[in-house]
Amino acid sequence: MNRRQAIIKANTLLAGVIIGSNQFVKGIGLPLLQLGKAEQRPDTYFLQNAVIRGLNAIAARLDPEQDFRPFFEIHCSPKPYLEHSIWDLGDMCARFTDAFILGREMTGFDGFKQEEHALSNLLRSCDPYANPFMAGRMLITYVDQYLDKPNDENKKYIDDLVGLISSKMTYEKDYAYYFRHPDGWKTVNDAVFGDFNPYPTFPIGGVILGLSRYTEVVDAPQSEDLLNKLCRFVLNVSGTFEADGRFLGHTHSGGILTAAAGIMRWAIRHHDHITVTQMKNVFDWTMKYSSSWGWVPDGLGPDNASCESCSITDAIHLGILIANHLDISYYGIIERFARNQLLENQFRNPEWMLPKTPFADKTKITKALNGSWASWSLPNSLDNSVSVEGCCLGNGIRGCFLVWEHIVSKQNDIVMVNMALSRNSPWVEVIGYQPYEGRVDIIIHDAPQLQIRIPEWVGEHELVVSTGGKEVNFTFLPNRYIELKGLKKGDCLRLDYPLQRKQAVEKVSGETYQICWRGDTVVSMAPVGKKYRLFERSWMENPHTPMRGNYCFEKQLGGPVHW
C-alpha cells in the first residue's frame, strides 16, 4: 500500500466505510483528468449557495407597494409580520444594493434586476443622517458601485457624501469626530451593553472603512484628509482601544470592529507598523471572547452574549488583512469561521422559527426568512430572539464574498491557494471535497509557481500530491504552504490528506460546549440548541462526496470589486 492508498483508506475509515484505492464509487468523485472537463463538481460550493439563498431572501424582503422599500425586521412569533422602520432606507437599501453587487460577482446570479435597480434608486434618495450610522453603510455601497463601474457619476456620489460627512464632524487639533466623551472615558471601563449609541465609533466606523478602500484606488485629498483625522481620533482620543488592543463593547453595532478593519487598511497603506500591530491585537483580543468556529459576540465583555452576523463579517475582514500582510496562518482561522458559524448563522429551515398554525402573508414571510442571517445567535442556536433584522442579511453576503475573494490570491507572481474552498479564478480552479474527504483538486490556468496552504492537522508525510495517478514532488515551506513549480495550463493536481476527527471542549460566553470536529468543520455540538438548533451536520460525515451537475460557477473568476 503506497501513501496515497493509505491516506484514502484513512479518510474512508474515518467515515466508517472502506473504499479501495483508485475506486471511484458513484457520488464520491470523478477521476481528476475527467473532472477537469466534466460539468459535474463536488457539491461543496457552500459560500456560493448561501449567497444565492440570501439574494432570494432580499427579494422577498422588499415591499412592491412602496417602490421596493425593504422591510427591516421579520417578527417570527407569536404573530409573524414584516415591519418597516427608519433603518429600511440608509441602512437596508445600502446593504442590499451592496449584496447584489458582491453576490453577482461571486455567483453569476442574474435574477431580480428590477429589485436591484429599485434599491439603488431608493438609496440615492436616502438621508445619510436619518441615523448617523447610515452614512458609513451608504458610503461603503457607493464605493462598491464605483469599484464595479468607475465612472464620474459614481465618483460624484462618493465625493458629495464625503462632503456631507465632513460637514457633520467637529474638528480639533489633528483629529475629527462626530461626538466624543470627556477625557478619561474608555470602553474597558465604561462600556454600556444593550445600547450602541454611547460608542464614539458607531457613527464613524463605516465611514472609516469606506474611506480606507476608496483612498486605496482614487487620489481624493478631501477623503484622505478626513480619513486621517478620523483614524487619529479613534486611536488617540476616543478611548476605544487600549494600546495593546483591548476593548469592550458592541463590536459591530457600536462600530468597533468595523472601524478596526478600516484603520488596519489605512495603517497598512501608510506603513504604520505600530497601528498595524495594535489592530492585530484587537483581532486577537476579540478571539478570546469568540469561539474557535467563528461565533463572535456583538456585546464583547459579559457572558450570555449574542452573536450578530455582522460581527462575524467584521472579524473575517480584519482577520483576512492580518493573513495577507502579517501572518498567513490566520487563513486557518478564516476558513474555520467560513465553514462553520458564518454558514450556520443563515436560516435554512424557516419553519423552525414560525408558527405551525396558519398566519397572514405566510409565503412571503417564509421566503424572507429563508436565507436571512441571524441578528442574535447563541453558539448552538439561532432562536435567541423572536425577530430577525435585515442588516445581517446584507452583511452575511458580504462575509461570504470576503472569504470567497481570498480563497486564491497572487503575490509577486506566486499564485496562492489559501483555503480549501471551491471556486474558480484567473489562475487556478480550486475544487474542495471537505468535509467529506481530505482532498483538493486544482486545475491550472496560469500558475507556473503555486503555493497551497495545508491544514494544521496534516503532517508533511501525510500529504500526497499527484497528477494523472502519479505522485508529484513538492516543497513543504515553514509557513505550512507547499510549493510547486513549472506548472502548465491544463495541469490537474490532486491533494490527498487525512481528515482529523476529534472531540473538544470549549467554553464560550460562559457556557461549555462539547464539539465534534471533522477536519476544520464542526459536525455536532452538545448541548444542542432549543428551537433552531445548529451544527446538526451528520450528513457531513457521509463518505460519499455528493456531486452536482449543471456546474454554474466556472465564469466567476473575480473582479472588478476587490476588498
Side-chain angles (χ1 to χ4, degrees), residues 378-398:
L378 299 174
N380 63 352
S381 70
L382 298 187
D383 51 289
N384 203 32
S385 173
V386 296
S387 65
V388 180
E389 297 175 350
C391 54
C392 294
L393 170 52
N395 242 31
I397 290 174
R398 171 169 275 269

Side-chain angles (χ1 to χ4, degrees), residues 245-299:
R246 290 180 297 122
F247 71 93
L248 295 176
H250 286 291
T251 51
H252 179 79
S253 60
I256 294 175
L257 282 185
T258 315
I263 291 170
M264 176 65 104
R265 300 191 79 102
W266 171 79
I268 289 168
R269 185 162 57 89
H270 288 278
H271 307 288
D272 181 349
H273 303 297
I274 293 174
T275 301
V276 166
T277 300
Q278 185 184 13
M279 293 303 103
K280 177 182 179 298
N281 291 341
V282 167
F283 181 88
D284 293 341
W285 171 255
T286 303
M287 293 305 98
K288 293 179 184 295
Y289 288 82
S290 305
S291 77
S292 61
W293 61 87
W295 182 91
V296 180
D298 182 45

Side-chain angles (χ1 to χ4, degrees), residues 40-90:
Q40 281 202 328
R41 293 290 188 280
D43 193 7
T44 55
Y45 292 81
F46 302 116
L47 296 172
Q48 292 91 332
N49 290 331
V51 165
I52 290 174
R53 279 192 297 272
L55 295 177
N56 277 274
I58 288 175
R61 205 164 180 142
L62 305 181
D63 186 350
E65 295 181 0
Q66 295 194 36
D67 297 321
F68 295 100
R69 174 175 174 162
F71 288 99
F72 173 64
E73 197 155 8
I74 304 173
H75 295 269
C76 298
S77 65
K79 285 188 175 182
Y81 65 97
L82 299 168
E83 183 179 23
H84 286 300
S85 82
I86 187 176
W87 298 100
D88 298 349
L89 298 173

Side-chain angles (χ1 to χ4, degrees), residues 235-249:
L235 292 169
N236 304 326
V237 182
S238 72
T240 301
F241 303 115
E242 299 298 292
D244 59 4
R246 290 180 297 122
F247 71 93
L248 295 176

Side-chain angles (χ1 to χ4, degrees), residues 228-428:
N228 291 341
K229 287 180 167 65
L230 292 175
C231 289
R232 292 190 198 109
F233 166 70
V234 174
L235 292 169
N236 304 326
V237 182
S238 72
T240 301
F241 303 115
E242 299 298 292
D244 59 4
R246 290 180 297 122
F247 71 93
L248 295 176
H250 286 291
T251 51
H252 179 79
S253 60
I256 294 175
L257 282 185
T258 315
I263 291 170
M264 176 65 104
R265 300 191 79 102
W266 171 79
I268 289 168
R269 185 162 57 89
H270 288 278
H271 307 288
D272 181 349
H273 303 297
I274 293 174
T275 301
V276 166
T277 300
Q278 185 184 13
M279 293 303 103
K280 177 182 179 298
N281 291 341
V282 167
F283 181 88
D284 293 341
W285 171 255
T286 303
M287 293 305 98
K288 293 179 184 295
Y289 288 82
S290 305
S291 77
S292 61
W293 61 87
W295 182 91
V296 180
D298 182 45
L300 187 148
D303 289 340
N304 303 315
S306 282
C307 170
E308 184 179 5
S309 297
C310 298
S311 296
I312 301 174
T313 294
D314 284 342
I316 284 172
H317 195 159
L318 185 54
I320 285 172
L321 293 170
I322 294 169
N324 280 345
H325 299 279
L326 289 177
D327 186 345
I328 206 164
S329 71
Y330 276 59
Y331 274 121
I333 299 173
I334 302 306
E335 185 166 352
R336 286 200 307 272
F337 278 34
R339 290 186 180 277
N340 297 297
Q341 200 76 43
L342 179 62
L343 292 176
E344 285 289 284
N345 257 33
Q346 186 180 43
F347 289 97
R348 296 168 62 182
N349 298 288
E351 66 277 6
W352 293 0
M353 292 290 290
L354 299 170
K356 298 187 185 304
T357 55
F359 55 88
D361 296 322
K362 180 176 181 178
T363 299
K364 182 172 181 61
I365 291 171
T366 301
K367 288 182 177 180
L369 182 57
N370 185 36
S372 289
W373 266 265
S375 310
W376 297 277
S377 73
L378 299 174
N380 63 352
S381 70
L382 298 187
D383 51 289
N384 203 32
S385 173
V386 296
S387 65
V388 180
E389 297 175 350
C391 54
C392 294
L393 170 52
N395 242 31
I397 290 174
R398 171 169 275 269
C400 290
F401 173 84
L402 289 169
V403 176
W404 173 86
E405 185 184 10
H406 293 276
I407 292 169
V408 182
S409 60
K410 186 174 183 180
Q411 299 179 13
N412 302 322
D413 296 325
I414 300 174
V415 176
M416 307 184 76
V417 176
N418 302 307
M419 292 173 276
L421 294 160
S422 296
R423 70 155 291 182
N424 205 354
S425 79
W427 311 295
V428 296

Side-chain angles (χ1 to χ4, degrees), residues 157-168 171 222-223 226:
Y157 279 112
I158 296 172
D159 294 341
D160 288 350
L161 179 54
V162 171
L164 176 62
I165 293 169
S166 298
S167 73
K168 298 289 186 179
Y171 297 85
Q222 181 186 23
S223 294
L226 179 59

